[in-house]
Amino acid sequence: MSTQPKLTRFNQNVLSKYQIYNSIFMTLPFDTITKTGALLPLFHETCQKGFSQKDNPTTIVETFFKKYQSSRSKESQTNLLFRFIQYIERQVVLFDAIEDAAFPVVNNMDGIGTLRSLKESASAENKLEALKAYLEEFKVRIVLTAHPTQFYPGSVLGIITDLTEAIRENDLLKINDLLAQLGKTPFFKHQKPTPYDEAVSLIWYLENVFYKSFGSIYDYIQQNIFEGEHINNDIINIGFWPGGDRDGNPFVTPEITLKVANRLRDTVIKNYYRDIRRLRRKLTFEGVENRITILERELYKMITNQESDLTLTSFNAELKEIKQVIIDKHQSLYVAEVNSLLNKIHLFGFHFANLDIRQDSRKHEQFFNDMVNALIESGSAIFPENYHDLSETEQVKLLSKVEGSVDLSLIKDEETLKALNTMKAIKTIQTTNGEVAANRYIISNNQTTLHVMQLFAMLKLVAFQDKLTVDVGPLFETITDLENAPQVMEDLYTNPEYAAHLKSRGNKQTIMLGFSDGTKDGGYLMANWAIYKAKENLTTISRKYGVTVIFFDGRGGPPARGGGKTHNFYASLGPTIEDKEVQLTIQGQTISSNFGTLDSSQYNLEQLISSGIYNSLSDKDLSMLPENREVMTDLSERSYKAYSDFKAHPKFISYLEHMSTLKYYAKTNIGSRPSKRGKAEGLVFEDLRAIPFVGSWSQLKQNVPGFFGVGTALKYYEDTNTFEKVQTLFKTSDFFKTLIENSMMSLSKSFFDLTKYMSEDEEYGGFWNVIYEEYKTSKRLLLKLTGYTELMQEEPAGSASIAVRESIVLPLLTIQQYALKKIQELEKAETRDEEQIKVYEKLVTRSLFGNINASRNSA
């Protein structure tokens, strides 16, 4: 039977089911106010009709109440709006669960980009040995971050998981009960989570999803590509930031870091214990049963904090011996299950995930200087008294050779003490969980060679006097820092002591590149092109000195933060960029939407593995042609100019502050860290975090960071009758094609009718029109460039999913804009009604949640 088109599969398995289950959902009684379920469709219809007539959100809300609920008091009307929000939040969850349940039907689990497809094409082209050789070196690491782009509490995550399963099984009674449970379960948090809370939330995915999906993928590769042979390489692993990421989060302490590392260790041992218990029911034969029982007993001791002699090495060795006995004496009965557990031990050890530490270079400088001053005052000979008077070059030279140990009792500043104790915590974690458990330290906002060497010296003086078993990874974020990065790295590679350190680490250097802050700083095209060029230059300089550079991409969910179709991005990179490893951050809704179920996790991991390997095995030349580079550079520079002028607009900051939801992000309690870096009273662009920055544009349905400047850059080529140059670029460069398709996603999630009323605003009308004109220009010229008749034409199922989600939250967006407008009016009134302002602020904050989750990659 032929497979139906993807859009047909989506319509049958997602859209139709949503309509059926939503009709059940709408009849459930959530509260004492009747008719809420009946009134929401009427409100939705009023919103649609109103926007088609160019009405503003205030008119739409007032029209609805006048037509359908004229007898309600103002207080009762506001209460109904809160009920609508409550319903819509749960409609989003229902749609998520249906889409998750249908994932293996809508997506071809054996199609292009999967391991099966990769293996078959390699076999057909006689490249199986080349594939094996590459897999022995290649790695994919997804790094889970605690960045606040989703707010579901654990109780709701559990319901989503159960609901997805019930929908997959078409269990109507169970679905009905779960929808009712969903209606009665609170969605928002009254208190901000702690960093430890965030870690526990994400460890849920490790325990319930990644443990199984990573294992399945590795088993498949071993059995089907390596024909059962052991692979020395782990190929896939997990990085982990909650509890280790200190950048702008004062709540992450050394104690939290140790507590998270212990939780990771305990969780993976519990998973091993469960697997061993299952194995014990099967391995009931002579010479095996007693040994597996002893392993079970020792693992139980470990998870109940009793003394046990079991180490990772002895656990692994004992299982291998058990496996051999089964092969030799019991006809290999259940050997596959034993082997699968051995593979998981190989992947996860006693650490489960690689815990990264991260801090801002400006903070390091503060801590470092504090430490140096304390040592000089104490009479220590580690640093000369004139250290601060030395040139930067002299300081770097001194730091590379520094020796000794710091007495932390000399440090009086509490913040500095926490930072230095964190370095001690790394050493402790390596001792208890293994070196890979915590062996990388990321320096965000890294600008100079000195920034790297300050951390290098602190690590050695505080905790690693004998041997530094930590990789230092600079993170280059702004356009200027990306341009300077190759020189910084050459300085490090030519430093004898740093070069010796790299040699002890296998001559591998991790360099992180920040898509989120890069886009915030330089706009969409410039950020992506600057990172592409930086990767090329860093690859060249690293290869020159015999170093394998590992690029770690700081990506967010949406295209504006480096997200979108990430596997297409990696598949588009040419031979001028090192590709031995693919490493990227995954956060918020991107974790739950792309990796939240076994099916989606396995599929998207396989896509990432294939995208990296595709470059090496493909005969297609992905090198960018010289004439294409010229056009790409010109486009990015014109785009950068347009974006920079836009940022410099006198209304830019105040528009975000007064017309968007930016200041409400801090009130959502969805993340443990503050919503901005600095302590300045007013809003300073440099202090703005990329997540609330991009998220606020998303809430406005303007998505500026995902397209602004693209239209202006393309228009130059149209105006000069050279548009065929950019059309050639689109047809011949996979990299540019991926950028354009991701930008289309940003445009397709924009809806300017929502905020059209702002065009008449006395203060901000002109600024709104600047954004709208760029949107229209970008949309028109992207369609002209691609030859499409509509946005995302090549991804009809993805486009349909976005359309449904946007439709679900349309009333939510309307309520949010209505509330924002009311706040503006109340703040301009002669007498401020503080109580009313609080009510409307609560409406704005509550409506943030559903909008964030519905987008699945909104920030």
Side-chain angles (χ1 to χ4, degrees):
M1 192 177 92
S2 62
T3 307
Q4 293 171 314
K6 192 171 183 178
L7 180 60
T8 306
R9 300 199 302 272
F10 173 85
N11 288 335
Q12 288 178 350
N13 296 280
V14 179
L15 188 56
S16 297
K17 282 190 177 182
Y18 174 71
Q19 288 162 347
I20 293 165
Y21 293 139
N22 189 44
S23 63
I24 298 169
F25 177 69
M26 296 297 274
T27 63
L28 292 172
F30 291 133
D31 47 62
T32 53
I33 299 175
T34 56
K35 297 185 181 177
T36 309
L39 287 170
L40 181 54
L42 295 173
F43 182 56
H44 189 279
E45 187 185 341
T46 306
C47 293
Q48 284 183 315
K49 191 175 178 182
F51 286 122
S52 69
Q53 295 171 351
K54 307 300 180 191
D55 289 341
N56 65 51
T58 305
T59 303
I60 290 168
V61 172
E62 288 173 353
T63 299
F64 168 76
F65 283 123
K66 189 176 178 182
K67 188 173 181 180
Y68 298 107
Q69 296 288 295
S70 56
S71 60
R72 280 184 186 266
S73 66
K74 282 288 178 189
E75 187 182 355
S76 178
Q77 288 180 1
T78 305
N79 285 338
L80 182 62
L81 294 180
F82 277 114
R83 304 290 177 218
F84 284 163
I85 291 171
Q86 181 187 13
Y87 264 73
I88 295 162
E89 284 174 337
R90 287 153 179 79
Q91 284 179 312
V92 171
V93 169
L94 174 61
F95 188 75
D96 279 352
I98 291 167
E99 204 163 39
D100 285 346
F103 189 93
V105 180
V106 174
N107 296 280
N108 186 351
M109 300 298 282
D110 293 322
I112 293 169
T114 62
L115 286 173
R116 181 171 177 177
S117 169
L118 185 68
K119 188 222 170 182
E120 286 175 356
S121 59
S123 298
E125 295 170 27
N126 292 318
K127 291 182 177 177
L128 204 53
E129 288 306 311
L131 174 61
K132 284 165 74 172
Y134 199 77
L135 281 167
E136 284 175 330
E137 284 191 336
F138 179 71
K139 291 178 191 285
V140 167
R141 179 183 295 190
I142 58 169
V143 181
L144 308 187
T145 79
H147 292 164
T149 59
Q150 189 183 55
F151 76 97
Y152 291 140
S155 54
V156 175
L157 282 175
I159 296 169
I160 294 172
T161 303
D162 294 342
L163 188 57
T164 302
E165 194 55 41
I167 289 166
R168 190 175 283 138
E169 294 170 1
N170 286 317
D171 188 336
L172 207 54
L173 287 173
K174 195 173 180 184
I175 291 166
N176 196 67
D177 287 347
L178 287 164
L179 289 176
Q181 183 188 350
L182 196 62
K184 292 182 176 292
T185 303
F187 264 49
F188 61 96
K189 298 172 182 177
H190 293 286
Q191 292 180 315
K192 287 175 82 70
T194 67
Y196 184 69
D197 294 334
E198 289 172 331
V200 170
S201 293
L202 288 189
I203 288 171
W204 185 92
Y205 288 103
L206 270 65
E207 182 177 9
N208 295 286
V209 181
F210 293 128
Y211 182 76
K212 297 168 186 170
S213 62
F214 275 48
S216 297
I217 289 170
Y218 198 85
D219 289 349
Y220 181 90
I221 291 171
Q222 187 186 52
Q223 296 306 317
N224 294 279
I225 297 174
F226 285 84
E227 295 167 354
E229 295 171 23
H230 175 71
I231 316 163
N232 289 320
N233 184 20
D234 55 6
I235 303 173
I236 41 177
N237 55 57
I238 311 168
F240 203 75
W241 275 15
D245 182 10
R246 286 159 168 68
D247 182 10
N249 194 339
F251 308 113
V252 179
T253 63
E255 293 74 26
I256 290 280
T257 303
L258 289 167
K259 197 175 172 186
V260 169
N262 287 336
R263 180 69 177 240
L264 285 164
R265 176 185 167 89
D266 289 349
T267 305
V268 78
I269 291 170
K270 279 177 188 170
N271 278 21
Y272 294 152
Y273 174 69
R274 291 187 197 110
D275 279 359
I276 284 287
R277 277 178 65 88
R278 279 190 284 269
L279 271 174
R280 188 170 63 83
R281 291 172 67 92
K282 295 179 176 181
L283 303 181
T284 52
F285 12 96
E286 193 181 338
V288 171
E289 185 177 22
N290 189 48
R291 295 174 79 165
I292 211 84
T293 303
I294 291 168
L295 277 182
E296 181 194 1
R297 191 183 308 139
E298 291 304 310
L299 287 168
Y300 182 75
K301 283 182 188 176
M302 291 174 82
I303 61 177
T304 53
N305 297 314
Q306 298 176 52
E307 279 291 317
S308 171
D309 296 329
L310 194 67
T311 63
L312 182 63
T313 305
S314 63
F315 182 29
N316 195 43
E318 179 65 358
L319 262 184
K320 281 181 176 174
E321 286 185 24
I322 289 169
K323 175 185 167 182
Q324 199 56 50
V325 171
I326 295 169
I327 292 168
D328 293 343
K329 298 184 177 179
H330 302 289
Q331 292 75 47
S332 297
L333 187 58
Y334 299 129
V335 78
E337 283 92 330
V338 177
N339 198 62
S340 186
L341 179 53
L342 277 166
N343 284 342
K344 289 189 180 85
I345 295 166
H346 177 53
L347 291 176
F348 304 120
F350 275 175
H351 64 282
F352 215 161
N354 307 73
L355 186 63
D356 283 341
I357 309 298
R358 183 174 77 132
Q359 181 56 282
D360 190 283
S361 64
R362 290 163 292 193
K363 282 291 181 186
H364 280 149
E365 199 152 44
Q366 175 191 324
F367 306 146
F368 176 79
N369 288 335
D370 196 27
M371 180 190 77
V372 171
N373 292 338
L375 287 169
I376 291 171
E377 283 170 26
S378 74
S380 166
I382 294 175
F383 291 97
E385 286 187 21
N386 68 337
Y387 174 80
H388 295 299
D389 299 325
L390 298 175
S391 68
E392 196 165 304
T393 305
E394 289 171 321
Q395 287 181 347
V396 166
K397 190 174 180 182
L398 191 148
L399 294 178
S400 64
K401 299 175 188 292
V402 76
E403 286 183 354
S405 180
V406 179
D407 177 2
L408 294 189
S409 67
L410 297 171
I411 309 297
K412 303 306 175 197
D413 182 80
E414 194 178 328
E415 208 182 352
T416 302
L417 199 56
K418 280 182 183 176
L420 300 182
N421 272 320
T422 295
M423 295 171 196
K424 278 188 171 296
I426 298 171
K427 188 76 177 283
T428 304
I429 293 166
Q430 289 190 358
T431 305
T432 56
N433 296 9
E435 194 238 278
V436 291
N439 67 352
R440 184 164 72 178
Y441 201 125
I442 307 293
I443 310 168
S444 52
N445 192 46
N446 195 97
Q447 297 170 342
T448 64
T449 309
L450 184 60
H451 283 155
V452 176
M453 296 312 295
Q454 284 171 341
L455 176 61
F456 183 76
M458 281 192 285
L459 285 165
K460 287 170 74 175
L461 291 172
V462 173
F464 295 89
Q465 289 87 3
D466 301 328
K467 185 184 180 187
L468 180 56
T469 52
V470 179
D471 297 321
V472 179
L475 162 53
F476 300 104
E477 301 179 79
T478 67
I479 303 304
T480 304
D481 292 344
L482 288 166
E483 287 171 356
N484 294 338
Q487 185 58 57
V488 170
M489 297 317 299
E490 184 159 32
D491 289 348
L492 291 168
Y493 295 154
T494 54
N495 180 300
E497 287 74 25
Y498 191 82
H501 164 67
L502 278 184
K503 192 173 182 183
S504 74
R505 307 294 295 161
N507 269 330
K508 290 183 176 181
Q509 171 68 55
T510 298
I511 298 175
M512 191 173 176
L513 302 159
F515 284 79
S516 301
D517 283 292
T519 307
K520 180 170 84 80
D521 180 55
Y524 181 69
L525 278 185
M526 175 55 94
N528 280 280
W529 183 233
I531 287 171
Y532 185 95
K533 288 194 296 181
K535 282 188 173 183
E536 286 190 319
N537 294 333
L538 289 165
T539 297
T540 301
I541 208 78
S542 300
R543 286 174 178 170
K544 177 182 173 182
Y545 292 101
V547 175
T548 301
V549 64
I550 296 162
F551 292 118
F552 175 21
D553 293 333
R555 295 178 170 278
R561 295 187 50 241
K565 300 289 183 183
T566 47
H567 48 266
N568 289 354
F569 174 85
Y570 289 112
S572 73
L573 303 179
T576 53
I577 293 175
E578 195 70 77
D579 60 354
K580 291 285 191 296
E581 295 196 24
V582 168
Q583 295 196 10
L584 68 157
T585 52
I586 309 283
Q587 57 197 244
Q589 312 95 314
T590 317
I591 298 173
S592 55
S593 62
N594 288 3
F595 301 94
T597 66
L598 287 173
D599 290 322
S600 63
S601 172
Q602 182 151 344
Y603 179 83
N604 285 301
L605 276 167
E606 289 190 17
Q607 293 287 326
L608 278 174
I609 294 169
S610 298
S611 68
I613 294 171
Y614 173 79
N615 285 333
S616 293
L617 295 185
S618 172
D619 294 327
K620 184 178 178 181
D621 185 3
L622 292 169
S623 303
M624 202 173 257
L625 301 167
E627 55 270 31
N628 279 349
R629 297 183 75 88
E630 202 176 302
V631 175
M632 189 71 226
T633 300
D634 186 63
L635 279 170
S636 62
E637 285 172 357
R638 291 182 187 282
S639 172
Y640 183 48
K641 171 79 168 62
Y643 181 74
S644 298
D645 290 348
F646 175 64
K647 271 198 316 181
H649 193 287
K651 295 297 177 189
F652 183 85
I653 291 291
S654 61
Y655 180 83
L656 277 174
E657 199 164 14
H658 299 294
M659 305 299 277
S660 84
T661 57
L662 183 68
K663 62 186 175 187
Y664 297 94
Y665 264 80
K667 300 177 183 180
T668 55
N669 292 332
I670 58 173
S672 70
R673 70 180 185 173
S675 58
K676 64 190 183 84
R677 283 187 171 90
K679 294 177 182 177
E681 282 292 315
L683 197 59
V684 180
F685 182 77
E686 286 69 29
D687 287 344
L688 267 182
R689 293 198 167 283
I691 290 167
F693 175 73
V694 173
S696 297
W697 290 112
S698 173
Q699 295 279 322
L700 283 168
K701 288 293 154 190
Q702 292 174 2
N703 290 325
V704 159
F707 71 83
F708 202 96
V710 176
T712 297
L714 290 171
K715 192 170 186 303
Y716 167 80
Y717 286 84
E718 183 182 56
D719 291 346
T720 54
N721 295 317
T722 53
F723 203 72
E724 73 281 352
K725 287 186 178 179
V726 285
Q727 287 174 320
T728 300
L729 177 63
F730 180 77
K731 287 172 187 169
T732 56
S733 167
D734 285 4
F735 171 73
F736 184 62
K737 188 170 190 279
T738 300
L739 289 190
I740 292 301
E741 288 176 347
N742 278 339
S743 189
M744 280 187 167
M745 189 190 294
S746 291
L747 289 165
S748 68
K749 290 184 178 183
S750 299
F751 181 57
F752 278 83
D753 285 348
L754 178 72
T755 55
K756 191 163 179 58
Y757 72 90
M758 293 181 189
S759 66
E760 295 165 15
D761 187 271
E762 202 172 299
E763 189 174 355
Y764 297 108
F767 186 74
W768 185 91
N769 279 306
V770 168
I771 301 168
Y772 185 48
E773 287 305 316
E774 183 66 17
Y775 162 78
K776 287 194 295 184
T777 303
S778 297
K779 182 178 177 181
R780 178 178 69 80
L781 290 176
L782 284 186
L783 292 175
K784 181 178 179 178
L785 174 68
T786 57
Y788 299 167
T789 54
E790 59 186 51
L791 296 171
M792 294 182 70
Q793 188 173 302
E794 295 289 285
E795 294 180 76
S799 181
S801 175
I802 289 170
V804 177
R805 289 176 181 279
E806 296 298 313
S807 175
I808 291 170
V809 296
L810 185 65
L812 208 55
L813 293 162
T814 309
I815 292 167
Q816 186 180 82
Q817 284 300 317
Y818 164 76
L820 283 168
K821 193 81 172 75
K822 284 291 184 188
I823 292 166
Q824 289 160 20
E825 289 169 7
L826 288 163
E827 286 180 339
K828 286 175 185 173
E830 284 184 26
T831 310
R832 282 173 66 94
D833 187 336
E834 295 296 344
E835 284 304 307
Q836 277 295 297
I837 289 174
K838 276 182 186 172
V839 170
Y840 287 118
E841 283 184 337
K842 190 179 176 186
L843 267 177
V844 173
T845 307
R846 284 296 312 278
S847 58
L848 266 172
F849 297 147
N851 291 335
I852 287 170
N853 289 313
S855 293
R856 278 206 157 180
N857 64 4
S858 65

